[in-house]
Amino acid sequence: MSEAPVDLVGALSARRARSKTTEAAPSRDELLRLLAAAANVADHSGYEPWRVIELRSAAREGLGLAIAEGFGLNGDKAASTARKPLRAPLLLALVVSRRPSLKVPAWEQEATAAGVAHNLGLLLDAEGWNVLWRTGLATRTDAVRRFHGLAEGEDLLGWLYVGGRPVSDREDKPRKPRRVEERLSAL
Ligand SMILES: Cc1cc2nc3c(=O)[nH]c(=O)nc-3n(C[C@H](O)[C@H](O)[C@H](O)COP(=O)(O)O)c2cc1C
């Protein structure tokens, strides 16, 4: 076994999602560099059943309106819901793009798309950004689907809310140790 070039165990152990971000965000070029690595996932038959949509600036406002419309909201409730995508400067919409296949069922294609999303989130975190994956019933409404231009066979897996890590004098609470012994069995 060759020596690992980077401390993957350390990066994964340190990853954490914080709800608050600053207004800094990675550039498109930075995203492309990380996405090229994140895309290196197990992918049955190499369908590449995923895509990512960048939402910055006014696009986030458009999403907010689409979410409110999808829920049929009006007035104050619509206005407060429409502000939710403004919680981070960059939202990355995660799309699974399934193709009909007897060999590779939908769930396998979803596993690949989710894998890319987890990898991308981890890489962004490891490079010092803050990432929080959010989803909700809004992802499946017609208005939100239309807003993202989803085609048949496509669904939203949610959005990575990406921004700068807040500078805080409060340390992150230590994580509870994961009880992985209970989750690893042997036959
Ligand atoms: C598919 C998916 C959807 C999620 N949706 C939400 C969400 O809508 N709102 C939320 O607060 N957290 C959501 N989470 C959880 C957060 O991304 C995050 O994991 C959680 O805040 C715990 O933080 P941690 O990842 O640092 O343990 C989602 C996670 C996944 C994988």
Side-chain angles (χ1 to χ4, degrees):
M1 199 167 65
S2 63
E3 203 176 306
V6 285
D7 179 12
L8 273 181
V9 173
L12 270 163
S13 304
R15 182 205 66 80
R16 71 191 309 147
R18 300 165 193 87
S19 55
K20 291 209 168 64
T21 75
T22 71
E23 284 306 304
S27 67
R28 181 179 170 81
D29 283 349
E30 283 175 277
L31 280 180
L32 286 171
R33 181 175 65 82
L34 298 182
L35 199 51
N40 190 10
V41 286
D43 182 356
H44 195 173
S45 291
Y47 286 176
E48 297 184 281
W50 58 272
R51 63 191 181 98
V52 176
I53 306 168
E54 266 180 284
L55 306 176
R56 301 180 192 261
S57 310
R60 298 168 308 154
E61 291 166 25
L63 171 61
L65 295 176
I67 293 174
E69 183 192 336
F71 285 143
L73 300 174
N74 299 301
D76 288 351
K77 191 79 191 127
S80 67
T81 297
R83 280 196 293 276
K84 291 201 167 172
L86 307 181
R87 287 175 288 183
L90 170 64
L91 271 60
L92 297 173
L94 310 163
V95 182
V96 57
S97 306
R98 301 178 206 85
R99 70 164 85 162
S101 168
L102 290 177
K103 186 176 161 202
V104 187
W107 78 265
E108 293 189 17
Q109 300 184 47
E110 287 154 12
T112 294
V116 174
H118 280 294
N119 282 351
L120 183 58
L122 173 66
L123 290 173
L124 284 162
D125 180 277
E127 298 236 328
W129 300 104
N130 190 52
V131 183
L132 201 151
W133 185 341
R134 294 183 191 271
T135 181
L137 296 176
T139 55
R140 303 291 153 118
T141 64
D142 285 344
V144 169
R145 290 183 59 85
R146 250 193 335 271
F147 176 78
H148 290 86
L150 298 191
E152 206 186 317
E154 290 194 319
D155 279 306
L156 269 182
L157 300 179
W159 303 269
L160 297 183
Y161 278 59
V162 183
R165 260 185 216 168
V167 181
S168 159
D169 48 11
R170 251 195 26 221
E171 290 283 311
D172 291 321
K173 275 201 234 137
R175 281 201 191 274
K176 284 199 209 127
R178 309 231 182 224
R179 296 154 77 97
V180 288
E181 298 81 2
E182 294 165 12
R183 295 183 179 276
L184 177 64
S185 56
L187 293 176

